[in-house]
Amino acid sequence: MNRRHCAAAAITLVCALAVLTVPTQAFAAPPPSPSHSPAAPAGPQRKSLEEVREEIDALYRKAGAATDAYNLAEERAEKQSGEIVKLAKAIVEGQAKIADLKSRAGAQAREQYRTGGLPPGAQMMLSDDPRMFMDGVNRVWQGQQAAKGVLGELTRTQEDLETYTKDASSNWKKLEANRLKQAKAKKRINGQIAAAKKLESQLEKEERARLLELEQEAEYKAQTAWLGSGALKEINRAASARGKKAVAFATAQIGKPYVWGAEGPGSYDCSGLTSQAWAAAGRPIPRTSQEQWRQLPHIAVKDMRPGDLIIYHGDASHVGMYIGDGAIVHAPRPGRNVTLAGAGSMEILGVVRPDR
């Protein structure tokens, strides 16, 4: 068995031992105290820990999708703000240019007024001296061309200024629309995270510990099924030079907390981690997992190599970086830290390669 398969088997064995050593204590509601009072009507049945885990997981997944919407709106708002600044500078420069061209056109008009409506060249054309006559013809032609040039440049500058103004207005509307999307996404994120935290806070300390174990069991089960499918047998490609740098950056962030919308250096969300890792490797990529899935080249799972990004769930709401031996590094969700996990521990949508 080669080194890669040994490492994969070791990961599987460690996960299995973790599951086998999980306490089997059940957490049920305490029995009612003896009482002579009439029996109270039965209340709603308490959810099992597994149902609570699934509900919390669903809430955090929805928050993850909303986080992607927030990040995308923020990215677009930043881009539009930059465009508005550029257009504002162009408008100021255009206004200054128009003022200069009008001044030049006015100077030409005043000169003609002082010479009785005839430019100096036209007066020379009336001379009997042939040389002065030819010089006058040339000056008149030059004056006409200069006047046409000033008027033509003035017209073009005015048209450009109108275009800049329209573009600035359009970008401002888009900026406000994206800010509105940000606000709505932020509200959804906060609501879903608050609901998940409320569910978790209602559990006893032992139940919260068991909840974490249930999460690990679910991940182990999915990873085992993925490995059992033979997916890892053909995955043996070496990382590119940039891929190695991206992996080194991402793994150096292990232990830092997940914070939605964060791009480091103290905390990250899932796509904040992957986008910053590849930026550190000299290859800027889209900020969100959905845009990473949409814009980056797709790779077959069997062809992936360390540094590639695995996109998860049908809505591309989560992303992790493949580091080899069937593992990823990722920022899981609020309340968790950047960590290693099995590449098959979640539903794989596909794989993308930033440096293809």
Side-chain angles (χ1 to χ4, degrees):
M1 185 179 291
N2 60 31
R3 181 187 64 81
R4 193 171 302 277
H5 291 169
C6 287
I11 291 173
T12 303
L13 179 58
V14 170
C15 293
L17 289 173
V19 173
L20 290 174
T21 56
V22 168
T24 56
Q25 179 184 357
F27 296 96
S33 302
S35 173
H36 298 293
S37 58
Q45 186 177 1
R46 189 182 183 195
K47 292 179 180 177
S48 70
L49 270 178
E50 178 59 24
E51 289 173 325
V52 171
R53 184 197 69 77
E54 289 175 356
E55 189 172 349
I56 289 174
D57 185 59
L59 285 166
Y60 279 128
R61 278 200 46 202
K62 288 178 182 177
T67 297
D68 241 28
Y70 176 90
N71 289 334
L72 182 58
E74 182 180 47
E75 186 178 40
R76 287 177 175 172
E78 286 177 1
K79 183 179 179 181
Q80 279 143 8
S81 293
E83 289 297 323
I84 289 171
V85 169
K86 289 179 184 177
L87 288 167
K89 288 180 180 177
I91 288 170
V92 170
E93 290 170 0
Q95 289 171 335
K97 189 174 182 180
I98 285 173
D100 177 62
L101 290 168
K102 284 182 176 179
S103 175
R104 286 162 58 187
Q108 289 177 349
R110 288 192 296 273
E111 178 64 24
Q112 287 188 11
Y113 177 76
R114 281 196 299 271
T115 57
L118 291 174
Q123 293 176 351
M124 293 174 68
M125 287 173 65
L126 301 176
S127 171
D128 292 332
D129 188 328
R131 287 177 298 178
M132 290 186 68
F133 175 82
M134 292 305 298
D135 189 41
V137 170
N138 186 48
R139 288 193 183 189
V140 167
W141 181 84
Q142 289 177 344
Q144 288 174 339
Q145 292 302 111
K148 285 180 181 178
V150 169
L151 292 175
E153 192 173 0
L154 180 60
T155 300
R156 288 192 299 273
T157 303
Q158 287 174 328
E159 289 173 351
D160 288 344
L161 195 58
E162 288 177 9
T163 301
Y164 295 151
T165 303
K166 287 178 183 177
D167 287 348
S169 176
S170 173
N171 273 282
W172 185 262
K173 288 177 182 176
K174 290 177 183 177
L175 177 63
E176 290 304 304
N178 277 311
R179 282 177 175 164
L180 184 61
K181 287 179 183 177
Q182 274 182 271
K184 288 180 178 178
K186 186 175 182 178
K187 186 176 180 180
R188 287 197 303 271
I189 294 162
N190 285 333
Q192 285 150 354
I193 290 177
K197 286 183 176 178
K198 183 179 178 181
L199 274 174
E200 202 162 350
S201 70
Q202 291 170 345
L203 301 173
E204 299 295 333
K205 182 179 179 180
E206 293 82 359
E207 289 178 310
R208 288 198 293 273
R210 176 62 181 149
L211 186 69
L212 177 58
E213 290 163 356
L214 286 173
E215 286 181 17
Q216 294 169 342
E217 285 179 26
E219 291 175 2
Y220 166 72
K221 184 178 179 181
Q223 175 74 352
T224 301
W226 184 68
L227 293 174
S229 70
L232 198 60
K233 289 180 180 178
E234 297 183 56
I235 303 174
N236 56 9
R237 288 168 175 74
S240 64
R242 281 186 171 176
K244 288 178 182 178
K245 290 180 180 179
V247 168
F249 179 95
T251 52
Q253 313 313 309
I254 290 173
K256 294 183 179 180
Y258 176 107
V259 174
W260 68 263
E263 299 177 79
S267 58
Y268 296 88
D269 63 18
C270 66
S271 55
L273 176 65
T274 54
S275 60
Q276 288 301 304
W278 272 101
R283 172 69 172 94
I285 62 173
R287 167 64 178 86
T288 70
S289 59
Q290 291 174 345
E291 288 300 294
Q292 288 168 6
W293 174 244
R294 189 175 71 85
Q295 295 185 35
L296 298 177
H298 290 201
I299 299 295
V301 171
K302 65 182 180 62
D303 294 327
M304 69 181 176
R305 66 191 186 193
D308 288 346
L309 305 181
I310 304 181
I311 309 297
Y312 292 97
H313 310 307
D315 57 0
S317 58
H318 190 70
V319 59
M321 179 179 291
Y322 186 65
I323 62 170
D325 294 327
I328 60 165
V329 58
H330 72 142
R333 66 165 177 83
R336 300 288 183 260
N337 297 331
V338 176
T339 188
L340 298 180
S345 60
M346 295 168 282
E347 176 197 358
I348 295 177
L349 176 62
V351 181
V352 294
R353 178 167 294 165
D355 61 341
R356 182 175 179 179

